[in-house]
């Protein structure tokens, strides 16, 4: 039993390591990426989920459309979007985070920036009120920005405060499987 576990565990680690190596070499950049929603971006060579934030999805269709439009406008204004593993925000490097798979639902989980000004896509979307801090993956890096946006009723907080509050509450809870698997960078 113990030997079987070690073999399976070694295989899983080697597969994850290969996936991490593949993703670490990935850098996606486009002056005009296709925006799927407030936290998902399509590039010609891959789909990216912006790590550390969550924007409204199909359960809040009106807010999803507004969040998508906000990211589309920001991307157009600030020269498109660049995404890679090496672009993590300074705040994210020093926070406890749940280990995230390099890919989920066919998307790469990457940090993104706007090329024209170097601003973090995640921090910008949260600060302007179009996304919430996804605590388990950000370690709370964007909580202050989210609280300020909520207090000022910025972006979607001014449209549907309760909907955004509920989304923030859901994304503040650490799932049981992540309680043990946090890392300190």
């Amino acid at each position: 039993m113990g030997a079987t576990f070690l073999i399976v565990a070694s295989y899983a680690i080697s597969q994850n390591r290969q996936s991490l190596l593949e993703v670490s070499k990935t850098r996606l950049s486009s002056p005009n990426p296709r925006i799927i929603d407030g936290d998902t971006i399509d590039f010609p060579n891959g789909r990216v989920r912006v790590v550390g934030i969550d924007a409204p999805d199909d359960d809040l269709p009106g807010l999803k459309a507004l969040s998508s439009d906000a990211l589309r406008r920001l991307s157009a204004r600030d020269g498109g979007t660049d995404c890679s593993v090496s672009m993590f925000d300074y705040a994210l490097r020093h926070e406890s985070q749940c280990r995230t798979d390099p890919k989920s639902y066919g998307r790469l989980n990457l940090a993104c920036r706007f090329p024209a000004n170097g601003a973090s896509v995640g921090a910008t979307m949260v600060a302007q009120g179009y996304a919430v801090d996804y605590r388990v993956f950000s370690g709370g890096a964007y909580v202050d920005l989210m609280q300020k946006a909520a207090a000022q009723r910025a972006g979607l907080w001014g449209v549907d405060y309760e909907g955004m509050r509920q989304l923030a509450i859901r994304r503040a809870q650490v799932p049981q499987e992540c309680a043990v698997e946090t890392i300190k960078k």
Side-chain angles (χ1 to χ4, degrees):
M1 174 97 171
T4 304
F5 173 77
L6 287 175
I7 292 169
V8 170
S10 296
Y11 176 76
I13 289 168
S14 71
Q15 292 302 309
N16 195 34
R17 184 179 319 195
Q18 185 61 34
S19 188
L20 285 170
L21 286 172
E22 175 189 325
V23 170
S24 70
K25 296 175 187 173
T26 302
R27 182 182 175 114
L28 302 175
S29 183
S30 175
N32 190 22
R34 188 171 141 236
I35 305 302
I36 303 302
D37 60 30
D39 59 24
T40 307
I41 305 166
D42 247 353
F43 292 90
N45 53 342
R47 183 171 280 189
V48 171
R49 181 170 198 314
V50 180
V51 122
I53 68 170
D54 194 31
D57 286 315
D58 293 335
D59 58 333
L60 298 167
L63 296 183
K64 177 182 177 178
L66 293 171
S67 180
S68 302
D69 187 55
L71 183 52
R72 197 172 292 109
R73 285 190 329 268
L74 287 166
S75 181
R77 182 192 78 189
D78 294 332
T81 311
D82 291 336
C83 302
S84 87
V85 168
S86 63
M87 291 184 188
F88 274 110
D89 290 331
Y90 179 76
L92 290 176
R93 290 187 190 146
H94 298 287
E95 298 289 339
S96 295
Q97 303 168 41
C98 180
R99 294 180 192 270
T100 178
D101 288 332
K103 292 182 180 178
S104 64
Y105 300 100
R107 304 173 297 186
L108 297 167
N109 294 312
L110 301 173
C112 302
R113 295 206 173 275
F114 297 114
N117 59 15
S120 159
V121 171
T124 301
M125 290 296 287
V126 172
Q128 292 188 8
Y130 292 101
V132 298
D133 179 82
Y134 203 157
R135 186 121 356 126
V136 70
F137 299 114
S138 77
Y142 305 126
V143 169
D144 290 343
L145 295 173
M146 182 178 69
Q147 290 172 341
K148 286 179 186 174
Q152 296 168 353
R153 301 295 196 267
L156 302 179
W157 291 96
V159 176
D160 183 356
Y161 185 88
E162 186 57 26
M164 288 298 284
R165 189 178 80 77
Q166 289 300 318
L167 179 61
I169 288 169
R170 286 192 309 269
R171 297 308 178 231
Q173 299 166 351
V174 177
Q176 196 64 279
E177 63 271 12
C178 290
V180 175
E181 291 201 40
T182 55
I183 57 176
K184 193 74 169 175
K185 294 202 177 210

